[in-house]
């Protein structure tokens, strides 16, 4: 009997020591929004346009109006990842999940955007970009009541699977996809319908790309207007306007 009790106590001691040595899984930190910013870097985005796009994202994440919107949420912070995409197998995580809640964290994030090398200049797979962005949401170390993918681009899907299928699958998992279209004054000579499809690129995004509760698409008249457009878009996403204040936002197209 004594031998049995001693064995039982010994077993408990071993289990306790093993538990003490095993690291505890940290609880996911709460933020108000998980946001993947997914930027088109396909062949139609030349070097000058690429730099304007990068600078626009960097300036927007440090804009006082954007930071005020972030700080007005229940937790006062959001988590952001920045990806760039092009062809069907060309997607890259440029900046991993980062918590942003003040100017310092915004500036650190912006610096990484500006300094990173351009990864691709391939075809345009919006579907691939959506799928890759969703994969980042699934691996986020943060927890939020809302998950949003912010897709910006200057052309239609011309590589990979049907974009509407990718859109519908991701939206069905509770994710909102918003769009920012960059309009082109002159169609590209080798494929004019890519940047200027029948009915316009805004309608294309509205019908094929965006989806989920309150999804919307914003127009930037050109790459020079991109910076202001992304500021307006981020404020709408962060504040969760869901269509209530569309009239106040320049470049804003009607929701889906």
């Amino acid at each position: 009997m004594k031998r049995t009790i001693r064995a039982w106590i010994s077993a408990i001691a071993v289990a306790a020591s093993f538990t003490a040595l095993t690291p505890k899984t940290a609880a996911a930190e709460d933020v108000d929004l998980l946001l993947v910013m997914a930027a088109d870097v396909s062949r139609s985005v030349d070097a000058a346009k690429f730099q304007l796009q990068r600078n626009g994202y960097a300036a927007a994440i440090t804009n006082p109006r954007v930071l005020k919107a972030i700080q007005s949420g229940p937790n006062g912070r959001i988590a952001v990842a920045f990806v760039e995409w092009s062809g069907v197998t060309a997607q890259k995580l440029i900046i991993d999940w980062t918590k942003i809640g003040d100017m310092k964290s915004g500036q650190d994030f912006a610096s990484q955007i500006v300094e990173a090398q351009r990864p691709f200049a391939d075809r345009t797979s919006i579907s691939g970009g959506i799928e890759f962005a969703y994969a980042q949401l699934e691996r986020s170390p943060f927890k939020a009541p809302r998950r949003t993918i912010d897709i910006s681009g200057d052309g239609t899907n011309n590589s990979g699977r049907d974009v509407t299928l990718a859109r519908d699958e991701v939206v069905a998992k509770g994710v909102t996809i918003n769009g920012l279209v960059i309009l082109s004054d002159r169609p590209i000579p080798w494929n004019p319908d890519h940047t200027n499809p029948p009915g316009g690129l805004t309608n294309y995004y509205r019908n094929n790309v965006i989806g989920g509760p309150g999804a919307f698409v914003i127009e930037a008249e050109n790459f020079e207007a991109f910076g202001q457009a992304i500021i307006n878009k981020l404020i709408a996403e962060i504040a969760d306007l869901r269509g209530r204040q569309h009239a106040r936002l320049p470049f804003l197209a009607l929701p889906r």
Side-chain angles (χ1 to χ4, degrees):
M1 181 67 177
K2 290 182 180 179
R3 185 177 299 173
T4 301
I5 293 173
R6 284 198 299 269
W8 180 70
I9 292 172
S10 177
I12 292 176
V14 171
S17 64
F18 178 79
T19 302
L21 293 171
T22 303
K24 294 182 179 179
T25 302
E29 183 176 354
D30 286 336
V31 294
D32 297 314
L33 171 69
L34 293 181
L35 177 64
V36 180
M37 298 191 294
D40 175 6
V41 291
S42 57
R43 284 184 299 216
S44 56
V45 180
D46 63 23
K49 291 178 178 179
F50 170 78
Q51 201 56 55
L52 284 169
Q53 185 169 262
R54 277 278 186 90
N55 291 343
Y57 274 112
I61 205 66
T62 58
N63 181 273
R65 292 168 55 214
V66 172
L67 291 172
K68 183 177 180 180
I70 292 172
Q71 293 164 354
S72 67
N75 293 296
R77 56 189 179 268
I78 66 173
V80 184
F82 183 73
V83 307
E84 289 179 332
W85 54 272
S86 183
V88 64
T89 60
Q91 304 92 26
K92 184 175 181 180
L93 177 64
I94 304 298
I95 307 175
D96 207 348
W97 286 106
T98 303
K99 181 178 64 177
I100 297 178
D102 55 23
M103 180 61 76
K104 174 65 166 57
S105 54
Q107 288 174 337
D108 290 345
F109 193 87
S111 296
Q112 294 180 72
I113 291 177
V114 173
E115 294 169 4
Q117 294 295 312
R118 178 173 182 161
F120 312 112
D122 199 348
R123 301 190 72 190
T124 306
S125 179
I126 304 174
S127 56
I130 289 174
E131 291 165 349
F132 186 79
Y134 177 73
Q136 308 317 305
L137 288 171
E138 285 292 281
R139 55 175 289 277
S140 172
F142 301 97
K143 183 175 65 175
R146 295 184 291 126
R147 301 190 298 170
T148 298
I149 296 172
D150 176 345
I151 292 277
S152 65
D154 73 338
T156 60
N157 190 80
N158 64 13
S159 177
R161 65 194 295 237
D162 189 321
V163 65
T164 60
L165 296 178
R167 187 261 324 265
D168 292 346
E169 288 176 6
V170 169
V171 167
K173 295 172 182 175
V175 176
T176 295
I177 303 173
N178 295 324
L180 195 163
V181 299
I182 307 163
L183 304 182
S184 302
D185 295 332
R186 290 174 293 180
I188 54 176
W190 62 89
N191 187 3
D193 284 351
H194 175 57
T195 54
N196 298 73
L201 189 60
T202 301
N203 279 330
Y204 177 86
Y205 260 65
R206 185 183 297 120
N207 296 328
N208 299 280
V209 178
I210 69 170
F216 62 86
V217 56
I218 290 180
E219 290 180 356
E221 295 176 354
N222 48 49
F223 274 86
E224 285 74 15
F226 180 85
Q228 185 59 53
I230 193 63
I231 287 171
N232 293 330
K233 188 163 185 280
L234 285 176
I235 291 171
E237 288 166 334
I238 293 163
D240 194 21
L241 297 180
R242 295 184 184 272
R244 294 193 296 271
Q245 300 184 35
H246 284 169
R248 301 183 187 179
L249 297 172
F251 312 112
L252 192 61
L254 295 175
R256 185 169 180 265

